[in-house]
């Protein structure tokens, strides 16, 4: 009986309340023996109630958009540092870890990047020198703040018949751009941890291709430290075995693992943009809440088991008040993928995750 008392007492003491006002601890404290825990943020979220929530709950942040090629380097000879500077200062002043996202990606690129003055495609030499210039400037600027960079984002194709995604990077430079991006980042900051970051990393076919690419970089002696598993998941999947297999295989490459963009959509996975149908439900029903709790519980059980290789877990956005999944891919549809509700309060799923952690121990 005595043991039962201690288990109950421990559980009650560790029960998170509705919000920071009730609980001196945040996610970062509950997970302190596991991994860093964080969120992606916009520059305006470094002040006000969202900033308070971030500081209470998280110990690592990522710039949601402010460090991407397009926003930070809109013209060939002009960098726009303000947004990223604000986020870097917020991290520095508050002792938060900062992940850099992202140096080489096919999306959110500026219009000048792939073309010359005549509007025609640049050649490989020019594109690689632009990439080097970009990486060197951005990595140097945040060298004292950013400890880990997503160097290349989403280079693997989702198409079963294709290995690498067909992008201007690939078409102009061939596969070599991957190795070059890592080399340039390493030269700019030899201390920074360098990651390859992607989504659907648990898909068996895509996983094989990601592993092939990483092994090829490793065989060439390219400095790559880790894999960023984005983790844009859904209440409908992936399941525990799929996650377990994927994480174990990436671990076997000897890489660090960061979960970089975690959220659990309350809709089935879909990627094509469309309008919401007139009678399409978008309420966060009791059934969906339950499924989301179960899915987050499964996810964190797997992540906790792999705490030795998983160094950091970052949510993509802070709360359901503002998430990139609102209106994406379905215009007019609200989503509820995070641990905090539209009023920034902890959702019941938060308590469920913490209770699961305590049981594990
Ligand atoms: C990808 C990118 C992120 C972000 C999300 C959607 O996962 O890596 O930077 O753009 O899509 O917000």
């Amino acid at each position: 009986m005595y043991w039962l008392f201690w288990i109950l007492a421990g559980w009650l003491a560790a029960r998170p309340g509705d919000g920071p006002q009730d609980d001196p601890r945040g996610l970062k404290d509950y997970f302190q023996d596991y991994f860093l825990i964080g969120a992606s943020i916009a520059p305006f979220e470094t002040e006000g109630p969202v900033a308070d929530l971030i500081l209470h709950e998280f110990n690592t942040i990522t710039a949601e958009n402010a460090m991407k090629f397009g926003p930070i380097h809109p013209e060939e000879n002009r960098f726009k540092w303000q947004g990223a500077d604000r986020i870097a200062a917020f991290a520095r002043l508050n002792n938060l870890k900062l992940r850099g996202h992202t140096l080489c990606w096919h999306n959110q690129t500026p219009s000048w990047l792939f073309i010359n003055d005549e509007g025609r495609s640049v050649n490989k030499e020019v594109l690689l020198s632009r990439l080097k210039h970009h990486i060197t400037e951005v990595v140097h600027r945040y060298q004292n703040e950013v400890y880990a960079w997503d160097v290349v984002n989403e280079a693997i194709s989702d198409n079963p018949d294709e290995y690498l995604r067909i992008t201007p990077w690939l078409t102009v430079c061939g596969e070599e751009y991957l190795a070059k991006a890592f080399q340039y980042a390493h030269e700019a900051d030899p201390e920074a941890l360098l990651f390859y970051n992607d989504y659907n990393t648990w898909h068996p076919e895509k996983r094989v291709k990601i592993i092939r690419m990483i092994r090829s970089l490793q065989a060439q002696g390219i400095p790559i430290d880790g894999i960023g598993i984005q983790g844009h998941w859904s209440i409908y999947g992936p399941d525990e075995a799929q996650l377990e297999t994927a994480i174990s295989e990436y671990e076997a490459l000897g890489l660090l693992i960061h979960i970089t963009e975690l959220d659990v959509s309350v809709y089935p996975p879909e990627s094509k943009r469309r309008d919401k149908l007139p009678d399409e439900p978008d309420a966060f029903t009791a059934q969906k809440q339950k499924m989301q709790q179960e899915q987050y519980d499964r996810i964190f059980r797997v992540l906790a088991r792999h705490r030795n290789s998983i160094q950091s877990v970052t949510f993509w956005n802070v709360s359901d008040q503002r998430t990139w999944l609102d209106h994406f891919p379905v215009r007019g549809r609200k989503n509820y993928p995070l641990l905090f509700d539209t009023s920034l309060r902890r959702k019941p799923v938060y308590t469920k995750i913490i209770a699961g952690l305590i049981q594990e121990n």
Side-chain angles (χ1 to χ4, degrees):
M1 277 321 268
Y2 202 55
W3 57 270
L4 188 61
F5 168 79
W6 281 112
I7 290 181
L8 269 175
W11 186 74
L12 281 172
R15 246 174 59 184
D18 262 358
Q21 65 281 14
D22 308 315
D23 184 359
R25 283 161 298 184
L27 288 169
K28 62 183 181 349
D29 307 300
Y30 290 111
F31 282 102
Q32 68 177 350
D33 297 331
Y34 293 79
F35 18 71
L36 297 165
I37 192 131
S40 73
I41 71 166
F44 72 86
E45 289 170 322
T46 56
E47 280 167 23
V50 176
D52 295 342
L53 176 71
I54 293 166
L55 295 179
H56 190 81
E57 300 286 350
F58 300 118
N59 49 17
T60 173
I61 55 171
T62 305
E64 181 186 358
N65 289 300
M67 291 187 183
K68 289 174 179 169
F69 212 130
I72 210 167
H73 196 169
E75 288 164 37
E76 184 161 13
N77 296 313
R78 184 170 70 90
F79 285 86
K80 203 170 151 204
W81 301 115
Q82 296 90 319
D85 279 1
R86 226 168 125 180
I87 290 176
F90 180 66
R92 187 174 56 242
L93 288 172
N94 295 292
N95 275 323
L96 301 168
K97 294 287 228 178
L98 180 59
R99 298 192 80 261
H101 176 84
T102 175
L103 298 170
C104 180
W105 189 27
H106 61 282
N107 265 335
Q108 294 186 255
T109 51
S111 49
W112 61 270
L113 179 59
F114 300 115
I115 53 172
N116 61 21
D117 290 343
E118 287 102 54
R120 278 200 291 276
S121 173
V122 288
N123 64 25
K124 177 173 174 178
E125 198 192 342
V126 172
L127 190 53
L128 286 180
S129 86
R130 286 180 177 180
L131 180 64
K132 181 170 188 178
H133 174 234
H134 173 78
I135 290 182
T136 309
E137 292 293 313
V138 176
V139 171
H140 275 163
R141 183 157 185 109
Y142 301 111
Q143 188 157 9
N144 296 326
E145 283 91 16
V146 170
Y147 79 104
W149 274 103
D150 290 331
V151 177
V152 176
N153 203 30
E154 303 178 350
I156 297 294
S157 175
D158 292 306
N159 177 345
D161 303 326
E162 230 166 61
Y163 166 42
L164 296 174
R165 184 189 292 275
I166 309 293
T167 65
W169 294 114
L170 184 71
T171 316
V172 176
C173 305
E175 200 172 331
E176 200 186 337
Y177 85 89
L178 300 165
K180 289 290 183 202
F182 281 93
Q183 275 168 352
Y184 301 151
H186 184 67
E187 279 161 25
D189 182 1
E191 301 295 316
L193 296 173
L194 306 182
F195 283 74
Y196 172 70
N197 190 49
D198 212 334
Y199 63 90
N200 282 350
T201 48
W202 62 273
H203 275 200
E205 284 173 357
K206 195 163 176 184
R207 194 176 72 220
V208 168
K209 292 187 271 187
I210 293 175
I211 290 176
R212 169 177 161 194
M213 184 198 71
I214 289 175
R215 279 199 208 285
S216 133
L217 291 173
Q218 288 175 325
Q220 297 167 64
I222 300 301
I224 172 167
D225 301 287
I227 169 143
I229 294 179
Q230 289 188 0
H232 293 297
W233 294 320
S234 146
I235 57 175
Y236 300 99
D239 66 28
E240 191 163 339
Q242 289 167 323
L243 282 179
E244 180 63 44
T245 310
I247 292 179
S248 304
E249 293 208 7
Y250 295 126
E251 243 171 13
L253 293 168
L255 295 177
L256 284 172
I257 296 174
H258 283 190
I259 309 295
T260 51
E261 305 185 20
L262 181 56
D263 45 29
V264 174
S265 165
V266 302
Y267 304 102
E270 230 182 309
S271 55
K272 290 227 165 57
R273 282 204 79 101
R274 64 171 177 88
D275 288 327
K276 179 171 169 289
L277 305 172
D279 55 351
E280 194 176 339
D282 72 348
F284 191 32
T285 58
Q287 169 69 6
K288 291 205 170 205
Q289 293 191 39
K290 183 164 175 283
M291 289 172 74
Q292 191 183 51
Q293 288 174 22
E294 288 165 359
Q295 179 65 324
Y296 263 120
D297 190 47
R298 274 191 288 275
I299 291 170
F300 274 97
R301 277 175 203 282
V302 177
L303 302 186
R305 279 204 290 277
H306 292 274
R307 70 177 100 166
N308 290 336
S309 40
I310 299 178
Q311 194 182 41
S312 166
V313 175
T314 297
F315 290 88
W316 204 247
N317 297 122
V318 177
S319 79
D320 292 350
Q321 192 172 74
R322 185 184 78 78
T323 145
W324 74 286
L325 290 169
D326 290 338
H327 315 291
F328 184 86
V330 178
R331 280 179 289 268
R333 192 181 68 180
K334 170 79 188 138
N335 211 326
Y336 303 87
L338 296 157
L339 303 191
F340 301 90
D341 69 16
T342 53
S343 308
L344 306 181
R345 285 187 308 251
R346 292 175 179 178
K347 287 160 63 176
V349 59
Y350 183 116
T351 316
K352 174 101 176 156
I353 292 172
I354 304 305
L357 257 191
I358 291 160
Q359 254 174 37
E360 284 279 290
N361 281 306

